[in-house]
Amino acid sequence: MSDTYLPQVLPVPVPMDDGFDKPYLDGLTEGRLVIQRCASCGTWIWGPEHVCYHCLAWDPEWLEVEPRGRIYAWTRIHSPGFVALRPATPFICALVELPQAGGVRMIGNLLGDRSQKVTIGDEVVGEFERHEIKGHLYGLMHWRRTG
Amino acid sequence: MRNNRLAEVTLAGIGHSGYFPRGKSPDPDFRLILKALFAACEDAGISPKQLDGLSSYCGPPTDPRRVAAAIGMKELKFAGLQWASGGGGTSAAFANAAAAIIAGYCDCVAVIRSVKMDEGTRYGQFGGGYGGGGVETVSGYGFRGVDKAPYGVLSSASTLAFQAQMLVENKGIDPAVFSAVSRASYYHAQNNPDALMYGRPLDAATYDDARKIAEPYRLYDCCLENDGACAVILTRSDIAKDLKQKPVHMLSVGETMEFRADAGAFNWPDFCSAGFRALAPRLYEQAGVGPQDVDVVQIYENFIHGVAMTFAEFGLCTYEDMNEVLTFENLIAPSGKLPLNTSGGNLAEAYVLGMGHVLEGVRQLRGTSKNQVLGAEVCLVTAGPLTPMTGAMILGTGDVR
Ligand SMILES: [Zn+2]
């Protein structure tokens, strides 16, 4: 086993063709969580958008947020639909909401015992995981229960 | 009293290609479509050459120009496509076809859709990973996007399981409801020789003991993977009255996407919704019926929890009484209070992106289902949920007011 939560058999996240979401992916590589907020009305936005869906102002700004939140939903995956992941099953994915960023949500793996009891609402903190595959550097944002 | 212009359109013919386990169809996709089309025309009592419109949904669709050329259609006057959304697009393809007929663009439209799978297009399998010298990459925030694939969320089951878990934990839905839905589908398939699970009944112990896929899903909570095609003929009602079959009408039809339901990275605001809350009252009103008038339901189920949410959002039960109402006994025909997916549905008949549900809705209203609900007059057929954009139609017998 590698020292990453899931073996390094998964596809490498790369920015969209126009580089639009580079601040997010570069942030993960550097160990920072960076998402969008509208400079005009303050609405937090995730996934990335070109305009604020609330006030329609252009180009929401990219801001670093503290990686902590609570579990909004989760699943323990036993049959991932990818042969190369089978040795790593079961593994847990958490959908985490960030109260300090308008409640936006993001998925990460839930670190720790793969048979742990998980409950919606559990408090979590983020942990960055660095990957390097054939010269491609990237980062992932995982979560760990604090309670 | 009311003026529902859908009265001008009749569902006049239904047909399918035969259903095959994944990869087992002897025919390529295009021949499956032609077989379904010919079967539907035969059922209606028309020649395929009488068609002048084609309607479909969910890319990549069959190319309507190819179909029209292949069958020697004199003139293709309407080729409609609902953009996307998998099984969420079925009803929209019917709405578009009906609109084209009512607008006078054409007189006789076939709604067509096939599913044909090879290893590269299976729903449950990711074909990527590292090959040769390069690396596999992902981008964007949709299915298998950068927010999901690197964390092992690769399949539809993994993607949708979060919502199902929320339904269990936050709405208090007993997993016994999922078992009941799955077993009712298999029960109905035992009377339907066309169903892929014909001859393979499912009991509660087998359901419970099945392997876990992505919690809370077990194997029998997930739709089939298979090959097949379906077609439905829509035509002007004044033409249909001289055709072979008892007329079946759409009393109402529509599509819907709730506020930001396609927001990326799992950020649609109301996560635990089937997306029908605005559409359902609209459809009941147009149809001039209410939940109490629905005799039988055909609810799209790529994954099982969508059925539970749909029952609630169409007012057929509430989240509070769901555990008591959605029992095996209530979901089976002919004796149950709300017979569900009476051909076996996506779980036990075949998965043709929801087209099978329409065919079965028509059969119920003609009185020709293998699991006939006696005297069925109103049938709800849904397209989706579990896609950002969904739709539904209420089918009925007799006159549309
Ligand atoms: Zn704004």
Side-chain angles (χ1 to χ4, degrees):
Chain A
M1 286 293 285
S2 62
D3 54 3
T4 52
Y5 181 78
L6 295 176
Q8 297 203 340
V9 296
L10 287 160
V12 174
V14 298
M16 296 151 92
D17 285 343
D18 55 3
F20 178 46
D21 60 342
K22 217 169 167 303
Y24 167 65
L25 292 172
D26 284 353
L28 290 183
T29 309
E30 296 158 8
R32 296 183 301 120
L33 182 59
V34 178
I35 59 170
Q36 284 183 317
R37 191 182 66 176
C38 174
S40 294
C41 76
T43 298
W44 288 91
I45 299 168
W46 197 244
E49 299 283 5
H50 290 273
V51 297
C52 168
Y53 64 84
H54 182 67
C55 76
L56 304 185
W58 284 91
D59 301 319
E61 59 188 345
W62 293 90
L63 284 182
E64 181 173 355
V65 296
E66 190 191 344
R68 61 176 172 78
R70 57 178 175 249
I71 293 178
Y72 185 80
W74 64 279
T75 180
R76 193 178 341 253
I77 297 176
H78 298 257
S79 180
F82 184 30
V83 174
L85 264 189
R86 262 185 218 155
T89 58
F91 59 90
I92 306 174
C93 294
L95 178 61
V96 172
E97 66 173 339
L98 310 182
Q100 73 279 18
V104 300
R105 303 166 203 146
M106 57 191 62
I107 286 177
N109 293 126
L110 188 66
L111 303 174
D113 184 350
R114 286 161 194 242
S115 62
Q116 67 187 286
K117 179 170 163 34
V118 187
T119 305
I120 288 174
D122 285 350
E123 304 278 331
V124 292
V125 291
E127 289 187 20
F128 293 93
E129 183 183 82
R130 282 171 65 84
H131 288 249
E132 182 172 2
I133 296 174
K134 297 180 181 174
H136 294 260
L137 273 178
Y138 67 96
L140 299 180
M141 173 95 260
H142 294 321
W143 303 93
R144 192 182 293 277
R145 288 167 56 232
T146 55
Chain B
M1 174 173 138
R2 300 200 328 276
N3 180 21
N4 185 348
R5 293 198 62 190
L6 287 170
E8 297 169 35
V9 180
T10 296
L11 305 190
I14 56 173
H16 65 77
S17 62
Y19 305 128
F20 305 89
R22 172 179 54 81
K24 294 289 194 290
S25 162
D27 290 320
D29 192 58
F30 190 69
R31 281 179 72 96
L32 291 173
I33 285 281
L34 291 180
K35 284 185 172 175
L37 195 60
F38 284 20
C41 289
E42 163 83 25
D43 180 68
I46 64 169
S47 161
K49 289 180 181 291
Q50 286 173 252
L51 296 170
D52 59 2
L54 293 165
S55 182
S56 193
Y57 59 101
C58 178
T62 304
D63 187 333
R65 300 167 301 182
R66 271 281 65 240
V67 175
I71 66 175
M73 195 186 290
K74 185 164 174 251
E75 183 187 1
L76 177 62
K77 299 175 180 171
F78 173 74
L81 178 67
Q82 195 265 3
W83 278 81
S85 265
T90 318
S91 297
F94 283 79
N96 292 344
I101 291 171
I102 292 167
Y105 296 155
C106 53
D107 294 326
C108 192
V109 182
V111 178
I112 52 174
R113 182 64 227 189
S114 67
V115 167
K116 179 113 169 44
M117 294 180 181
D118 54 36
E119 281 305 317
T121 57
R122 288 187 62 186
Y123 292 131
Q125 296 294 324
F126 176 66
Y130 303 113
V135 295
E136 188 80 16
T137 60
V138 288
S139 70
Y141 296 80
F143 186 59
R144 291 177 186 160
V146 296
D147 58 315
K148 302 178 193 70
Y151 303 94
V153 178
L154 297 162
S155 68
S156 299
S158 299
T159 305
L160 294 167
F162 294 91
Q163 194 184 43
Q165 181 62 30
M166 199 173 197
L167 204 63
V168 171
E169 276 190 55
N170 285 12
K171 301 268 195 194
I173 301 313
D174 188 336
V177 166
F178 300 162
S179 171
V181 168
S182 188
R183 286 183 292 121
S185 301
Y186 272 77
Y187 175 85
H188 292 139
Q190 303 319 305
N191 292 327
N192 175 11
D194 291 339
L196 287 167
M197 293 298 128
Y198 178 66
R200 293 176 63 180
L202 176 66
D203 60 31
T206 308
Y207 173 90
D208 289 340
D209 293 342
R211 64 189 171 90
K212 293 175 179 175
I213 303 295
E215 294 178 30
Y217 297 144
R218 292 174 178 278
L219 180 64
Y220 297 105
D221 296 326
C222 308
C223 72
L224 298 169
E225 294 183 304
N226 50 248
D227 301 340
C230 293
V232 177
I233 309 298
L234 280 71
T235 192
R236 277 178 16 215
S237 294
D238 60 308
I239 297 173
K241 69 179 170 34
D242 298 322
L243 298 179
K244 257 164 76 177
Q245 303 293 347
K246 176 181 172 185
V248 171
H249 294 285
M250 286 185 277
L251 306 181
S252 57
V253 62
E255 61 183 319
T256 180
M257 190 183 101
E258 287 188 347
F259 175 65
R260 291 206 14 102
D262 198 44
F266 285 73
N267 277 277
W268 59 98
D270 194 345
F271 189 72
C272 213
S273 163
F276 288 130
R277 290 169 302 181
L279 181 66
R282 198 156 76 228
L283 291 187
Y284 282 134
E285 200 207 339
Q286 186 186 7
V289 301
Q292 70 284 355
D293 301 311
V294 175
D295 299 307
V296 53
V297 295
Q298 316 295 336
I299 299 178
Y300 178 86
E301 69 309 24
N302 49 352
F303 294 94
I304 203 137
H305 77 282
V307 174
M309 293 194 296
T310 301
F311 268 102
E313 292 184 15
F314 270 92
L316 299 165
C317 71
T318 65
Y319 281 116
E320 288 67 38
D321 66 11
M322 186 175 288
N323 292 341
E324 287 74 51
V325 175
L326 299 189
T327 61
F328 175 76
E329 289 70 25
N330 275 345
L331 296 176
I332 58 169
S335 53
K337 285 183 192 155
L338 263 176
L340 165 76
N341 295 352
T342 47
S343 64
N346 289 335
L347 301 177
E349 184 187 42
Y351 180 79
V352 192
L353 286 160
M355 283 292 282
H357 295 70
V358 183
L359 270 59
E360 177 63 8
V362 170
R363 286 186 209 105
Q364 283 289 352
L365 299 175
R366 287 179 181 173
T368 60
S369 170
K370 297 291 200 298
N371 294 287
Q372 185 61 43
V373 173
L374 295 177
E377 293 179 346
V378 175
C379 179
L380 170 67
V381 181
T382 72
L386 312 191
T387 57
M389 194 149 197
T390 62
M393 54 181 126
I394 298 175
L395 304 182
T397 55
D399 295 334
V400 181
R401 291 170 298 168

